[in-house]
């Protein structure tokens, strides 16, 4: 059976270094497991065999792959495939912690419409009790950033982390354990090799796990409602994104009122907590048939996580809605293939009569909290990396010190994909010009570099103008860095400045970057100030030295060999 007890021997010191930080107790720098599986010999997979669950129509092949257990599925969207092995005797997994090393072929990875990469299948663990009933554990992806290496993941942390289970599944009498894959409905269906190794089971490992949840930032924006048209709607920063719908004899057309909070990015809500207050106006009494709270995943699939019947509702006072633990086993209803690891929005449905009804009064949602498990670190920063964009997407904004007269028309801006050209004619009332770019979804600038290339005419090198780069985050904070001051110290021409993004980290949250400005500050310049040219900022993961090169117009571009540190 190749089951090993007590201390396990790891194949790589790097894996050991990672795991010894995560498990207690630690003896002699090694983690202690009650049961472990490492596939050091070809016959170590002999006791493993396929296991199909009720909702799976797929098939799989098991193989021995360079000292790992290999699973190659053939399936459709929403399938699950597992390989299981029997235990020497039934065990109690109530407080069990299970870890494994996983690696998927490149075919399992897919870029979403939001511009970040995700996996088309997730790894999980399956437990089978003495009666043949099963339950699955946490759903985990391998590291996107390091796809070519193994990722150590936690697939179970006690009974609370079971995501799906047969009725009357007995976690105190588990006879078999296994690992496998769940397809997550991202369009293409992945087929290819998935590898599992170093599976460790600590039967009391979850007893000391931290249970504190962390707040996820909720924007006061992100709200919308369905096609029932209220007379007005307002969002307000403050009481966790307060949202008010004002109805004045608004027609329902036989539809329910549906309210959505679209999250900053897709979240893994497993074991999380959601709470908010819902205030229904007194005019809704006698009309409202109930309230449903649903989660919507990245593919539009839904799961109902809460419900309030008409008899339980109160009106004109806040009704607290508290979902203490988000787990698939507790869902009221769930679409096939719903992906709890990729929740895109929260939906609140006020159920109304099927016939056309007139609504009046103020409906309010406030005190919205998403509290998430700290285990899923990527919940807490945007997974979206910035992509380079065209100079034509920079939007010029002239800032004036007075509301009139309007001098903006005196400046001329023209842009191509490669260059934004600004022909300036400064007036005393003007202070600066912004070339703005806003991301549709906040991006993660916590690592890497920004390179800004711009052209300064020789006649303006002592004009007092300055070129600055400003970044704003989703919380309204901003940070500006001066790239160049035209104080006579430069000769003009093309300038390239490369800045580590961490230069902005003292004032803004780079994990939530929302917009960028190239800022031209007037200083002492007046009147016609020549022609300035700007490429769009470009983003790179690592510092790259570049040789001097010549532009099509013959100008020499001075590329910096080391990052320029702004003053």
């Amino acid at each position: 059976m190749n089951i090993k007890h007590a201390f396990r021997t790891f194949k790589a010191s790097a894996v050991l270094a990672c795991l010894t930080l995560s498990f207690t107790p630690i003896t002699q720098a090694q983690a202690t497991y009650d049961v472990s599986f490492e596939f050091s010999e070809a016959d170590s997979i002999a006791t493993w065999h396929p296991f199909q669950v009720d909702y799976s129509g797929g098939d799989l092949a098991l193989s021995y792959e360079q000292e790992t257990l290999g699973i190659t599925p053939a399936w459709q969207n929403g399938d699950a495939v597992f390989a299981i092995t029997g235990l020497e005797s039934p065990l109690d997994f109530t407080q069990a912690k299970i870890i494994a090393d996983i690696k998927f072929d490149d075919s399992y990875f897919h870029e979403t419409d939001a511009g970040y990469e995700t996996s088309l299948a997730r790894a999980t663990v399956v437990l089978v009790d003495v009666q043949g009933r099963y339950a699955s554990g946490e759903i985990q992806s391998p590291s996107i950033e390091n796809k070519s290496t193994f990722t150590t993941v936690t697939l179970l942390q006690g009974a609370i982390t079971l995501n799906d289970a047969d009725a009357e599944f007995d976690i105190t009498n588990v006879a078999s354990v296994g690992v496998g894959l769940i397809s997550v409905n991202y369009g293409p269906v992945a087929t290819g090799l998935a590898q599992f190794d170093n599976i460790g089971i600590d039967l009391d490992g979850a007893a000391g796990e931290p249970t504190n949840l962390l707040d996820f930032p909720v924007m006061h924006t992100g709200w919308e409602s369905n096609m029932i048209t209220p007379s007005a709607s307002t969002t307000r920063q403050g009481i966790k994104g307060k949202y008010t719908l004002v109805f004045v004899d608004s027609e329902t057309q036989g539809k329910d009122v549906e309210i959505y909070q679209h999250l900053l990015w897709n979240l893994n809500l497993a074991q999380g907590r959601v709470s908010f207050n819902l205030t229904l106006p007194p005019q809704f009494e006698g009309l409202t048939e109930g309230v449903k709270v649903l989660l919507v995943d990245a593919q539009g699939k839904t799961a109902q996580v809460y419900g309030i019947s008409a008899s339980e509702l109160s009106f004109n006072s806040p009704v607290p809605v508290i979902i203490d633990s988000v787990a698939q086993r507790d869902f009221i209803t769930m679409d096939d293939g719903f992906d709890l690891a990729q929740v895109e929005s929260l939906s609140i449905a006020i159920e109304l009569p099927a016939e056309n009804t007139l609504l009046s009064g103020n409906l309010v949602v406030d005190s919205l909290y998403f509290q998430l498990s700290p285990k899923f670190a990527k919940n807490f920063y945007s997974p979206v990396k910035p992509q380079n964009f065209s100079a034509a997407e920079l939007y010029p904004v002239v800032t004036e010190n007075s509301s009139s007269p309007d001098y903006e028309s005196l400046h001329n801006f023209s842009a191509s994909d490669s260059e934004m050209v600004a022909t300036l004619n400064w007036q005393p009332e003007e202070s600066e010009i912004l070339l703005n770019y806003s991301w549709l979804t906040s991006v993660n600038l916590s690592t890497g570099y920004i390179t800004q290339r711009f052209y300064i005419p020789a006649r303006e090198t002592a004009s007092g103008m300055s070129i600055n780069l400003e970044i704003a985050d989703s919380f309204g904070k901003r940070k500006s860095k001066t790239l160049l001051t035209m104080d006579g110290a430069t000769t003009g021409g093309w300038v390239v400045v490369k800045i580590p993004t961490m230069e902005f980290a003292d004032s803004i949250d780079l994990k939530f970057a929302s917009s960028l400005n190239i800022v031209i500050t007037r200083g002492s310049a007046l009147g016609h100030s020549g022609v300035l040219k700007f490429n769009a900022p470009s983003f790179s993961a690592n510092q790259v030295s570049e040789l001097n090169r010549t532009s099509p117009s013959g100008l020499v571009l001075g590329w910096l060999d080391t990052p320029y540190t702004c003053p």
Side-chain angles (χ1 to χ4, degrees):
M1 189 174 289
N2 200 40
I3 297 178
K4 302 179 181 178
H5 298 269
F7 302 110
R8 53 194 289 240
T9 302
F10 293 96
K11 296 178 183 175
S13 60
V15 174
L16 175 60
C18 174
L19 291 177
T20 54
L21 295 175
S22 305
F23 294 90
T24 56
I26 298 171
T27 305
Q28 297 179 353
Q30 288 181 304
T32 303
Y33 297 97
D34 298 286
V35 181
S36 65
F37 303 92
E38 55 180 34
F39 304 95
S40 56
E41 301 170 357
D43 63 358
S44 60
I45 72 166
T47 62
W48 291 75
H49 56 88
F51 178 78
Q52 301 286 335
V53 298
D54 294 339
Y55 56 89
S56 177
D59 198 0
L60 75 156
L62 302 184
S63 59
Y64 182 72
E65 301 287 339
Q66 298 178 328
E67 299 189 341
T68 70
L69 171 66
I71 297 178
T72 303
W75 54 10
Q76 301 298 316
N77 277 329
D79 288 339
V81 292
F82 295 99
I84 67 168
T85 188
L87 301 171
E88 289 181 344
S89 61
L91 297 173
D92 184 350
F93 276 65
T94 305
Q95 294 291 345
K97 182 168 186 173
I98 302 178
I99 61 94
D101 296 341
I102 61 173
K103 186 173 79 167
F104 294 175
D105 280 359
D106 285 348
S107 59
Y108 283 96
F109 298 93
H110 168 68
E111 185 171 303
T112 69
D113 292 340
Y116 60 92
E117 200 170 22
T118 188
S119 54
L120 297 168
R122 308 281 157 76
T124 188
V125 67
V126 65
L127 309 177
V128 184
D129 70 12
V130 293
Q131 299 297 321
R133 297 167 297 211
Y134 80 91
S136 61
E138 298 189 40
I139 302 171
Q140 301 282 13
S141 297
S143 168
I144 302 295
E145 291 78 12
N146 300 289
K147 292 182 291 187
S148 61
T149 62
F150 278 86
T151 303
T152 301
V153 294
T154 300
L155 300 176
L156 188 75
Q157 291 196 88
I160 191 174
T161 64
L162 294 177
N163 272 315
D164 194 10
D166 280 342
E168 300 181 356
F169 168 76
D170 185 3
I171 197 171
T172 67
N173 280 291
V174 174
S176 300
V177 65
V179 291
L181 303 168
I182 294 177
S183 175
V184 292
N185 296 286
Y186 270 91
V189 178
T191 58
L193 177 66
Q195 293 171 266
F196 294 81
D197 197 11
N198 295 327
I199 302 167
I201 303 172
D202 182 355
L203 292 174
D204 62 357
E209 287 293 326
T211 56
N212 293 334
L213 300 178
L214 301 178
D215 285 349
F216 180 77
V218 176
M219 300 292 103
H220 68 286
T221 55
W223 290 103
E224 67 176 56
S225 60
N226 64 342
M227 297 304 293
I228 297 176
T229 306
S231 298
S233 63
T234 61
T235 60
R236 194 179 77 196
Q237 192 161 12
I239 315 171
K240 273 288 180 180
K242 183 175 181 180
Y243 182 56
T244 303
L245 287 174
V246 181
F247 298 96
V248 180
D249 291 334
S250 300
E251 296 186 359
T252 66
Q253 304 296 327
K255 298 179 181 178
D256 297 336
V257 172
E258 296 178 10
I259 305 165
Y260 303 93
Q261 166 64 37
H262 297 293
L263 301 169
L264 287 170
W265 51 81
N266 300 340
L267 301 181
N268 187 336
L269 271 183
Q271 304 155 58
R273 186 177 188 272
V274 181
S275 61
F276 59 90
N277 290 331
L278 174 67
T279 303
L280 298 174
Q283 295 91 329
F284 277 45
E285 189 168 4
L287 296 175
T288 306
E289 299 172 350
V291 175
K292 290 182 179 180
V293 181
L294 303 100
L295 302 176
V296 184
D297 73 8
Q299 297 299 303
K301 295 179 180 292
T302 63
Q304 185 183 347
V305 294
Y306 197 87
I308 311 174
S309 65
S311 61
E312 298 172 313
L313 287 170
S314 60
F315 298 85
N316 212 31
S317 61
V319 175
V321 174
I322 301 172
I323 304 158
D324 274 322
S325 179
V326 180
Q328 288 181 332
R329 66 181 184 277
D330 298 326
F331 291 168
I332 299 169
T333 61
M334 182 181 72
D335 289 343
D336 288 343
F338 172 80
D339 189 359
L340 186 57
Q342 293 286 339
V343 174
E344 187 175 72
S345 58
L346 174 79
S347 171
I348 304 165
I350 316 299
E351 299 178 288
L352 298 170
E355 65 269 13
N356 188 31
T357 305
L358 295 180
L359 297 180
S360 295
N362 293 356
L363 189 158
V364 180
V365 182
D366 62 20
S367 300
L368 174 62
Y369 283 86
F370 282 86
Q371 294 176 295
L372 311 179
S373 171
K375 295 181 305 176
F376 307 123
K378 289 187 177 180
N379 275 328
F380 302 102
Y381 61 89
S382 173
V384 181
K385 300 296 184 182
Q387 302 294 318
N388 294 330
F389 54 88
S390 163
E393 297 177 78
L394 292 167
Y395 181 75
V397 179
V398 178
T399 303
E400 300 177 355
N401 297 327
S402 61
S403 57
S404 61
D406 182 1
Y407 293 113
E408 185 170 346
S409 60
L410 298 178
H411 305 281
N412 181 265
F413 302 96
S414 61
S416 64
D417 286 343
S418 59
E419 284 184 355
M420 164 66 75
V421 179
T423 304
L424 306 182
N425 187 0
W426 290 110
Q427 304 303 308
E429 292 84 357
E430 297 174 318
S431 58
E432 60 187 23
I433 292 171
L434 312 179
L435 303 178
N436 171 263
Y437 181 83
S438 296
W439 286 282
L440 294 176
T441 302
S442 62
V443 298
N444 189 339
L445 288 176
S446 58
T447 60
Y449 296 84
I450 303 176
T451 300
Q452 180 60 58
R453 179 175 178 265
F454 53 93
Y455 173 82
I456 302 299
R459 54 170 280 189
E460 303 300 335
T461 55
S463 65
M465 288 189 290
S466 64
I467 307 298
N468 312 273
L469 193 63
E470 180 185 70
I471 300 175
D473 65 19
S474 296
F475 310 105
K477 295 179 291 183
R478 296 176 178 273
K479 175 71 173 183
S480 181
K481 287 284 184 181
T482 300
L483 306 184
L484 177 71
T485 299
M486 299 178 209
D487 56 5
T490 61
T491 58
W494 285 100
V495 179
V496 178
V497 181
K498 188 171 188 175
I499 310 173
T501 58
M502 287 302 295
E503 294 262 341
F504 297 84
D506 58 338
S507 299
I508 66 172
D509 195 331
L510 289 168
K511 300 186 296 294
F512 304 89
S514 62
S515 65
L516 178 149
N517 290 312
I518 302 169
V519 183
I520 312 167
T521 302
R522 180 173 71 85
S524 57
L526 278 176
H528 293 283
S529 298
V531 177
L532 279 65
K533 300 178 183 179
F534 299 88
N535 294 152
S538 63
F539 308 93
S540 57
N542 299 298
Q543 177 187 344
V544 179
S545 296
E546 301 210 34
L547 297 175
N548 286 355
R549 47 177 133 169
T550 303
S551 73
S553 61
L555 294 169
V556 176
L557 314 181
W559 292 82
L560 302 181
D561 287 329
T562 56
Y564 175 86
T565 302
C566 294

